[in-house]
PDB file of all heavy atoms in Angstrom:
ATOM      1  N   ALA A   1      32.754  10.893 -18.053  1.00 96.00           N
ATOM      2  CA  ALA A   1      33.425  10.167 -16.969  1.00 96.00           C
ATOM      3  C   ALA A   1      33.977   8.927 -17.395  1.00 96.00           C
ATOM      4  O   ALA A   1      35.080   8.428 -16.995  1.00 96.00           O
ATOM      5  CB  ALA A   1      32.373   9.858 -15.820  1.00 96.00           C
ATOM      6  N   TYR A   2      33.372   8.149 -18.289  1.00 98.00           N
ATOM      7  CA  TYR A   2      33.728   6.826 -18.738  1.00 98.00           C
ATOM      8  C   TYR A   2      34.428   6.842 -20.082  1.00 98.00           C
ATOM      9  O   TYR A   2      34.675   5.698 -20.584  1.00 98.00           O
ATOM     10  CB  TYR A   2      32.536   5.921 -18.726  1.00 98.00           C
ATOM     11  CG  TYR A   2      31.914   5.698 -17.361  1.00 98.00           C
ATOM     12  CD1 TYR A   2      30.863   6.537 -17.014  1.00 98.00           C
ATOM     13  CD2 TYR A   2      32.390   4.860 -16.447  1.00 98.00           C
ATOM     14  CE1 TYR A   2      30.280   6.482 -15.811  1.00 98.00           C
ATOM     15  CE2 TYR A   2      31.778   4.672 -15.183  1.00 98.00           C
ATOM     16  CZ  TYR A   2      30.713   5.508 -14.902  1.00 98.00           C
ATOM     17  OH  TYR A   2      30.190   5.425 -13.596  1.00 98.00           O
ATOM     18  N   ALA A   3      34.710   8.007 -20.591  1.00 97.00           N
ATOM     19  CA  ALA A   3      35.433   8.133 -21.953  1.00 97.00           C
ATOM     20  C   ALA A   3      34.648   7.396 -22.985  1.00 97.00           C
ATOM     21  O   ALA A   3      35.164   6.534 -23.798  1.00 97.00           O
ATOM     22  CB  ALA A   3      36.815   7.664 -21.819  1.00 97.00           C
ATOM     23  N   MET A   4      33.346   7.611 -23.135  1.00 97.00           N
ATOM     24  CA  MET A   4      32.527   6.961 -23.930  1.00 97.00           C
ATOM     25  C   MET A   4      31.716   7.882 -24.907  1.00 97.00           C
ATOM     26  O   MET A   4      30.528   7.643 -25.218  1.00 97.00           O
ATOM     27  CB  MET A   4      31.522   6.028 -23.247  1.00 97.00           C
ATOM     28  CG  MET A   4      32.137   4.934 -22.492  1.00 97.00           C
ATOM     29  SD  MET A   4      31.001   3.930 -21.468  1.00 97.00           S
ATOM     30  CE  MET A   4      29.899   3.143 -22.649  1.00 97.00           C
ATOM     31  N   THR A   5      32.453   8.929 -25.436  1.00 96.00           N
ATOM     32  CA  THR A   5      31.784   9.955 -26.195  1.00 96.00           C
ATOM     33  C   THR A   5      31.160   9.382 -27.456  1.00 96.00           C
ATOM     34  O   THR A   5      29.965   9.759 -27.808  1.00 96.00           O
ATOM     35  CB  THR A   5      32.711  11.169 -26.644  1.00 96.00           C
ATOM     36  OG1 THR A   5      33.897  10.505 -27.052  1.00 96.00           O
ATOM     37  CG2 THR A   5      33.145  11.893 -25.373  1.00 96.00           C
ATOM     38  N   GLY A   6      31.776   8.440 -28.083  1.00 96.00           N
ATOM     39  CA  GLY A   6      31.233   7.936 -29.332  1.00 96.00           C
ATOM     40  C   GLY A   6      30.192   6.906 -29.092  1.00 96.00           C
ATOM     41  O   GLY A   6      29.502   6.484 -30.188  1.00 96.00           O
ATOM     42  N   TRP A   7      29.985   6.433 -27.934  1.00 98.00           N
ATOM     43  CA  TRP A   7      28.971   5.392 -27.642  1.00 98.00           C
ATOM     44  C   TRP A   7      27.552   5.929 -27.705  1.00 98.00           C
ATOM     45  O   TRP A   7      26.597   5.199 -27.858  1.00 98.00           O
ATOM     46  CB  TRP A   7      29.212   4.692 -26.360  1.00 98.00           C
ATOM     47  CG  TRP A   7      30.531   3.991 -26.310  1.00 98.00           C
ATOM     48  CD1 TRP A   7      31.821   4.534 -26.112  1.00 98.00           C
ATOM     49  CD2 TRP A   7      30.762   2.573 -26.358  1.00 98.00           C
ATOM     50  NE1 TRP A   7      32.792   3.540 -26.157  1.00 98.00           N
ATOM     51  CE2 TRP A   7      32.156   2.332 -26.223  1.00 98.00           C
ATOM     52  CE3 TRP A   7      29.945   1.452 -26.533  1.00 98.00           C
ATOM     53  CZ2 TRP A   7      32.779   0.996 -26.268  1.00 98.00           C
ATOM     54  CZ3 TRP A   7      30.539   0.140 -26.467  1.00 98.00           C
ATOM     55  CH2 TRP A   7      31.918  -0.058 -26.376  1.00 98.00           C
ATOM     56  N   ARG A   8      27.405   7.237 -27.452  1.00 98.00           N
ATOM     57  CA  ARG A   8      26.219   8.002 -27.574  1.00 98.00           C
ATOM     58  C   ARG A   8      25.068   7.431 -26.624  1.00 98.00           C
ATOM     59  O   ARG A   8      24.059   7.045 -27.089  1.00 98.00           O
ATOM     60  CB  ARG A   8      25.677   8.050 -28.946  1.00 98.00           C
ATOM     61  CG  ARG A   8      26.715   8.477 -30.039  1.00 98.00           C
ATOM     62  CD  ARG A   8      27.330   9.721 -29.669  1.00 98.00           C
ATOM     63  NE  ARG A   8      26.396  10.890 -29.458  1.00 98.00           N
ATOM     64  CZ  ARG A   8      26.537  11.665 -28.371  1.00 98.00           C
ATOM     65  NH1 ARG A   8      27.510  11.617 -27.593  1.00 98.00           N
ATOM     66  NH2 ARG A   8      25.643  12.662 -28.273  1.00 98.00           N
ATOM     67  N   ILE A   9      25.329   7.534 -25.310  1.00 98.00           N
ATOM     68  CA  ILE A   9      24.333   7.267 -24.304  1.00 98.00           C
ATOM     69  C   ILE A   9      24.219   8.365 -23.302  1.00 98.00           C
ATOM     70  O   ILE A   9      25.233   8.712 -22.615  1.00 98.00           O
ATOM     71  CB  ILE A   9      24.657   5.912 -23.601  1.00 98.00           C
ATOM     72  CG1 ILE A   9      24.481   4.711 -24.648  1.00 98.00           C
ATOM     73  CG2 ILE A   9      23.652   5.726 -22.455  1.00 98.00           C
ATOM     74  CD1 ILE A   9      23.095   4.401 -25.107  1.00 98.00           C
ATOM     75  N   GLY A  10      23.078   8.925 -23.122  1.00 98.00           N
ATOM     76  CA  GLY A  10      22.663   9.784 -22.105  1.00 98.00           C
ATOM     77  C   GLY A  10      21.490   9.251 -21.336  1.00 98.00           C
ATOM     78  O   GLY A  10      20.834   8.327 -21.974  1.00 98.00           O
ATOM     79  N   TYR A  11      21.158   9.807 -20.207  1.00 98.00           N
ATOM     80  CA  TYR A  11      20.016   9.237 -19.495  1.00 98.00           C
ATOM     81  C   TYR A  11      19.495  10.288 -18.511  1.00 98.00           C
ATOM     82  O   TYR A  11      20.214  11.229 -18.291  1.00 98.00           O
ATOM     83  CB  TYR A  11      20.319   7.880 -18.740  1.00 98.00           C
ATOM     84  CG  TYR A  11      21.512   8.068 -17.758  1.00 98.00           C
ATOM     85  CD1 TYR A  11      21.327   8.603 -16.462  1.00 98.00           C
ATOM     86  CD2 TYR A  11      22.751   7.587 -18.130  1.00 98.00           C
ATOM     87  CE1 TYR A  11      22.395   8.566 -15.661  1.00 98.00           C
ATOM     88  CE2 TYR A  11      23.865   7.682 -17.245  1.00 98.00           C
ATOM     89  CZ  TYR A  11      23.629   8.181 -15.944  1.00 98.00           C
ATOM     90  OH  TYR A  11      24.690   8.242 -15.070  1.00 98.00           O
ATOM     91  N   ALA A  12      18.301  10.112 -18.106  1.00 98.00           N
ATOM     92  CA  ALA A  12      17.619  11.100 -17.193  1.00 98.00           C
ATOM     93  C   ALA A  12      16.667  10.382 -16.216  1.00 98.00           C
ATOM     94  O   ALA A  12      16.095   9.431 -16.686  1.00 98.00           O
ATOM     95  CB  ALA A  12      17.003  12.235 -17.955  1.00 98.00           C
ATOM     96  N   GLY A  13      16.467  11.097 -15.112  1.00 98.00           N
ATOM     97  CA  GLY A  13      15.498  10.538 -14.261  1.00 98.00           C
ATOM     98  C   GLY A  13      14.502  11.771 -13.832  1.00 98.00           C
ATOM     99  O   GLY A  13      15.042  12.837 -13.620  1.00 98.00           O
ATOM    100  N   GLY A  14      13.275  11.518 -13.877  1.00 98.00           N
ATOM    101  CA  GLY A  14      12.366  12.630 -13.505  1.00 98.00           C
ATOM    102  C   GLY A  14      10.971  12.160 -13.530  1.00 98.00           C
ATOM    103  O   GLY A  14      10.540  10.916 -13.383  1.00 98.00           O
ATOM    104  N   ASP A  15       9.995  13.161 -13.509  1.00 98.00           N
ATOM    105  CA  ASP A  15       8.563  12.865 -13.472  1.00 98.00           C
ATOM    106  C   ASP A  15       8.103  11.815 -14.584  1.00 98.00           C
ATOM    107  O   ASP A  15       8.516  11.950 -15.722  1.00 98.00           O
ATOM    108  CB  ASP A  15       7.816  14.128 -13.717  1.00 98.00           C
ATOM    109  CG  ASP A  15       6.329  14.126 -13.829  1.00 98.00           C
ATOM    110  OD1 ASP A  15       5.692  13.936 -12.751  1.00 98.00           O
ATOM    111  OD2 ASP A  15       5.890  14.091 -14.989  1.00 98.00           O
ATOM    112  N   ALA A  16       7.314  10.885 -14.179  1.00 98.00           N
ATOM    113  CA  ALA A  16       6.978   9.941 -15.179  1.00 98.00           C
ATOM    114  C   ALA A  16       6.170  10.355 -16.297  1.00 98.00           C
ATOM    115  O   ALA A  16       6.396   9.874 -17.386  1.00 98.00           O
ATOM    116  CB  ALA A  16       6.088   8.807 -14.302  1.00 98.00           C
ATOM    117  N   ALA A  17       5.338  11.321 -16.177  1.00 98.00           N
ATOM    118  CA  ALA A  17       4.663  11.881 -17.334  1.00 98.00           C
ATOM    119  C   ALA A  17       5.553  12.578 -18.305  1.00 98.00           C
ATOM    120  O   ALA A  17       5.261  12.518 -19.546  1.00 98.00           O
ATOM    121  CB  ALA A  17       3.502  12.923 -16.869  1.00 98.00           C
ATOM    122  N   LEU A  18       6.559  13.322 -17.753  1.00 98.00           N
ATOM    123  CA  LEU A  18       7.479  13.884 -18.597  1.00 98.00           C
ATOM    124  C   LEU A  18       8.343  12.858 -19.370  1.00 98.00           C
ATOM    125  O   LEU A  18       8.607  13.035 -20.572  1.00 98.00           O
ATOM    126  CB  LEU A  18       8.382  14.797 -17.871  1.00 98.00           C
ATOM    127  CG  LEU A  18       9.651  15.431 -18.505  1.00 98.00           C
ATOM    128  CD1 LEU A  18       9.269  16.235 -19.706  1.00 98.00           C
ATOM    129  CD2 LEU A  18      10.475  16.229 -17.625  1.00 98.00           C
ATOM    130  N   ILE A  19       8.703  11.827 -18.682  1.00 98.00           N
ATOM    131  CA  ILE A  19       9.477  10.762 -19.335  1.00 98.00           C
ATOM    132  C   ILE A  19       8.764  10.071 -20.374  1.00 98.00           C
ATOM    133  O   ILE A  19       9.215   9.808 -21.493  1.00 98.00           O
ATOM    134  CB  ILE A  19       9.938   9.703 -18.194  1.00 98.00           C
ATOM    135  CG1 ILE A  19      10.891  10.340 -17.149  1.00 98.00           C
ATOM    136  CG2 ILE A  19      10.574   8.491 -18.786  1.00 98.00           C
ATOM    137  CD1 ILE A  19      12.223  10.752 -17.720  1.00 98.00           C
ATOM    138  N   LYS A  20       7.477   9.906 -20.172  1.00 98.00           N
ATOM    139  CA  LYS A  20       6.643   9.264 -21.201  1.00 98.00           C
ATOM    140  C   LYS A  20       6.487  10.234 -22.449  1.00 98.00           C
ATOM    141  O   LYS A  20       6.528   9.703 -23.571  1.00 98.00           O
ATOM    142  CB  LYS A  20       5.263   9.028 -20.580  1.00 98.00           C
ATOM    143  CG  LYS A  20       4.359   8.326 -21.536  1.00 98.00           C
ATOM    144  CD  LYS A  20       2.859   8.092 -20.927  1.00 98.00           C
ATOM    145  CE  LYS A  20       1.924   7.412 -21.837  1.00 98.00           C
ATOM    146  NZ  LYS A  20       0.648   7.123 -21.143  1.00 98.00           N
ATOM    147  N   ALA A  21       6.393  11.538 -22.203  1.00 98.00           N
ATOM    148  CA  ALA A  21       6.297  12.468 -23.321  1.00 98.00           C
ATOM    149  C   ALA A  21       7.705  12.436 -24.064  1.00 98.00           C
ATOM    150  O   ALA A  21       7.717  12.511 -25.330  1.00 98.00           O
ATOM    151  CB  ALA A  21       5.999  13.842 -22.744  1.00 98.00           C
ATOM    152  N   MET A  22       8.851  12.386 -23.422  1.00 98.00           N
ATOM    153  CA  MET A  22      10.094  12.325 -24.069  1.00 98.00           C
ATOM    154  C   MET A  22      10.213  11.029 -24.853  1.00 98.00           C
ATOM    155  O   MET A  22      10.822  10.981 -26.019  1.00 98.00           O
ATOM    156  CB  MET A  22      11.231  12.429 -23.037  1.00 98.00           C
ATOM    157  CG  MET A  22      11.272  13.786 -22.405  1.00 98.00           C
ATOM    158  SD  MET A  22      12.413  13.736 -20.888  1.00 98.00           S
ATOM    159  CE  MET A  22      13.936  13.245 -21.618  1.00 98.00           C
ATOM    160  N   ALA A  23       9.732   9.954 -24.365  1.00 98.00           N
ATOM    161  CA  ALA A  23       9.683   8.634 -25.167  1.00 98.00           C
ATOM    162  C   ALA A  23       8.881   8.782 -26.386  1.00 98.00           C
ATOM    163  O   ALA A  23       9.337   8.223 -27.437  1.00 98.00           O
ATOM    164  CB  ALA A  23       9.177   7.538 -24.316  1.00 98.00           C
ATOM    165  N   LYS A  24       7.796   9.555 -26.314  1.00 98.00           N
ATOM    166  CA  LYS A  24       6.917   9.777 -27.515  1.00 98.00           C
ATOM    167  C   LYS A  24       7.782  10.483 -28.595  1.00 98.00           C
ATOM    168  O   LYS A  24       7.621  10.125 -29.832  1.00 98.00           O
ATOM    169  CB  LYS A  24       5.755  10.510 -27.090  1.00 98.00           C
ATOM    170  CG  LYS A  24       4.634  10.726 -28.212  1.00 98.00           C
ATOM    171  CD  LYS A  24       3.419  11.340 -27.768  1.00 98.00           C
ATOM    172  CE  LYS A  24       2.365  11.485 -28.756  1.00 98.00           C
ATOM    173  NZ  LYS A  24       1.103  12.195 -28.126  1.00 98.00           N
ATOM    174  N   VAL A  25       8.468  11.532 -28.181  1.00 97.00           N
ATOM    175  CA  VAL A  25       9.320  12.322 -29.187  1.00 97.00           C
ATOM    176  C   VAL A  25      10.353  11.343 -29.737  1.00 97.00           C
ATOM    177  O   VAL A  25      10.598  11.316 -30.929  1.00 97.00           O
ATOM    178  CB  VAL A  25      10.006  13.441 -28.440  1.00 97.00           C
ATOM    179  CG1 VAL A  25      11.092  14.170 -29.427  1.00 97.00           C
ATOM    180  CG2 VAL A  25       8.974  14.468 -28.100  1.00 97.00           C
TER     181      VAL A  25
END
């Protein structure tokens, strides 16, 4: 949407336990 392919930022919202596990990875 913002023509920022090279900036390399994705994000997600969801269950706190899943988010914590993703942060561990």
Side-chain angles (χ1 to χ4, degrees):
Y2 299 92
M4 294 174 66
T5 51
W7 298 75
R8 308 310 302 135
I9 294 289
Y11 56 82
D15 175 77
L18 172 58
I19 295 296
K20 183 177 180 180
M22 290 168 60
K24 187 175 182 180
V25 173

